[in-house]
Amino acid sequence: MEMPELPRRIYTLGEEPPAVHSIPYHTCWTLHTALKKTLHDDEYEELKESKLGVFIKFQELGFDWASRLVHYMLGFQPDIKKKYEVWSLIGPEPVRFSLLEFENLTDLNCEYMEDLERPHSAVTKELTSFWEMLGVHVEAGPSTQEIIATLDRCEGWSRDDRKRLAYLAIFTGYIEGRKYSTPTRVSLARLVMELERFENYPWGRQSPYTANSTARVIISNRKLYPGYNPFAPIDNKKLKELADWLKTCP
C-alpha cells in the first residue's frame, strides 16, 4: 500500500528553530504527598479508582512533563490544521496523537461540549461557604499552594467536602498545572460543588490540547522554510535521540 502524499512540514529538516519560549507545566510531589497524608486509606483508594484517578496513578508511576519531547514533536510537525490533533514525523513516518489516543490512554472524558472553558455554575450559599473553608475569594479559583495549606486543616470536614478538596487538588496540580501561587480558572473550579458533574466533565479536552493551537508561539516562527521531502532517508541519529527520550518520558 502506497503512503498518501503528506502535507509539508512546518520547518525544513535540520532547520527546526530552538524553543525560544519556555513550555511550562507545574506539578509537584509536595501536593501528592500532602494529599496522600491527609486522606484516609479508603478515601485515597476511592480517589485513585475515580474517573480522575489516572493523574494519581501517573504520579505514582513517576510520569513527568518532558519539554524536550514536546519540542521535538512540535518542531517536526506537518502543517496540519486540526485543532485537537498533533502530527509529528519520525523519519518519513507520520505519527498522530489526538484526542482518540489521549482518551484511550487515560480514560478521561473527551467528548465535545459547548462553553467548555466557561461552564455555568451558580454561586450558591453552599459554594460560598466551601470557598470560605478553602480561604479563597469566591471570585477566584484556588491555587495549588492554597490547596496544600487547606489539606493540613480539613480533618473535621464531611466526606463530600474532603472529596471536593481532593478533586480540587487534582484540578489545580494536574489539570491546570500552573505555578503554585497562581489562581486557577474559577468557572471550572466551581464545578466541584456538583461532584458527579465534576467527575464526568470532559477534562480530556482541557490542558493537554490548549498548547496545540499556540504551537507557533511556543516555537518561534521567525524562520519558515518552503518545504521538505517526507520520503527522505531516515536520519538514524535523530531516531536514536528520540528513542532515548522515549525511554525516559511517558
Side-chain angles (χ1 to χ4, degrees), residues 13 16 45 93 121 137 205 218 233 247:
L13 184 66
E16 302 82 11
E45 289 304 314
E93 298 290 336
S121 294
H137 192 281
R205 282 185 174 262
I218 294 173
K247 290 176 183 177

Side-chain angles (χ1 to χ4, degrees), residues 95-128:
V95 176
R96 183 187 74 175
F97 188 72
S98 70
L99 282 174
L100 293 175
E101 287 77 26
F102 187 73
E103 184 174 20
N104 185 55
L105 285 169
T106 64
D107 284 332
L108 291 171
N109 182 5
C110 295
E111 293 180 2
Y112 171 79
M113 68 171 293
E114 294 183 1
D115 299 323
L116 181 70
E117 301 291 332
R118 294 183 177 276
H120 175 70
S121 294
V123 180
T124 62
K125 290 182 179 180
E126 183 184 18
L127 184 147
T128 302

Side-chain angles (χ1 to χ4, degrees), residues 3 11 30 38 56-57 59 61 75 81 92 94 103-104 107 127 133 138 170 191 197 201 214 217 221 223 238 240 250:
M3 182 182 293
Y11 303 105
T30 306
T38 297
I56 301 298
K57 293 174 182 177
Q59 177 83 66
L61 287 170
K81 304 301 183 184
E103 184 174 20
N104 185 55
D107 284 332
L127 184 147
M133 292 163 63
V138 73
I170 289 177
L191 295 174
R197 184 184 179 191
Y201 196 73
T214 58
V217 176
N221 62 355
K223 294 183 179 180
K238 287 189 179 295
K240 183 179 184 304

Side-chain angles (χ1 to χ4, degrees), residues 13 90-93 228-239:
L13 184 66
I90 301 179
E93 298 290 336
Y228 149 76
N229 176 11
F231 303 102
I234 295 175
D235 187 327
N236 290 321
K237 181 179 178 181
K238 287 189 179 295
L239 282 180

Side-chain angles (χ1 to χ4, degrees), residues 125-212:
K125 290 182 179 180
E126 183 184 18
L127 184 147
T128 302
S129 175
F130 185 70
W131 249 241
E132 287 177 355
M133 292 163 63
L134 295 174
V136 178
H137 192 281
V138 73
E139 295 299 329
S143 66
T144 298
Q145 190 175 59
E146 290 167 331
I147 292 297
I148 291 174
T150 306
L151 286 168
D152 283 335
R153 49 181 171 80
C154 68
E155 181 60 34
W157 291 16
S158 69
R159 188 177 182 89
D160 278 353
D161 282 342
R162 288 166 63 85
K163 189 173 185 178
R164 290 187 178 99
L165 180 59
Y167 278 164
L168 284 177
I170 289 177
F171 171 69
T172 61
Y174 300 98
I175 296 175
E176 290 278 90
R178 302 187 181 194
K179 289 180 66 175
Y180 310 140
S181 58
T182 302
T184 50
R185 290 171 287 180
V186 67
S187 59
L188 294 174
R190 286 173 177 170
L191 295 174
V192 81
M193 299 310 299
E194 302 174 64
L195 288 171
E196 186 175 352
R197 184 184 179 191
F198 191 89
E199 292 162 359
N200 292 298
Y201 196 73
W203 296 116
R205 282 185 174 262
Q206 287 296 329
S207 56
Y209 285 95
T210 55
N212 189 28

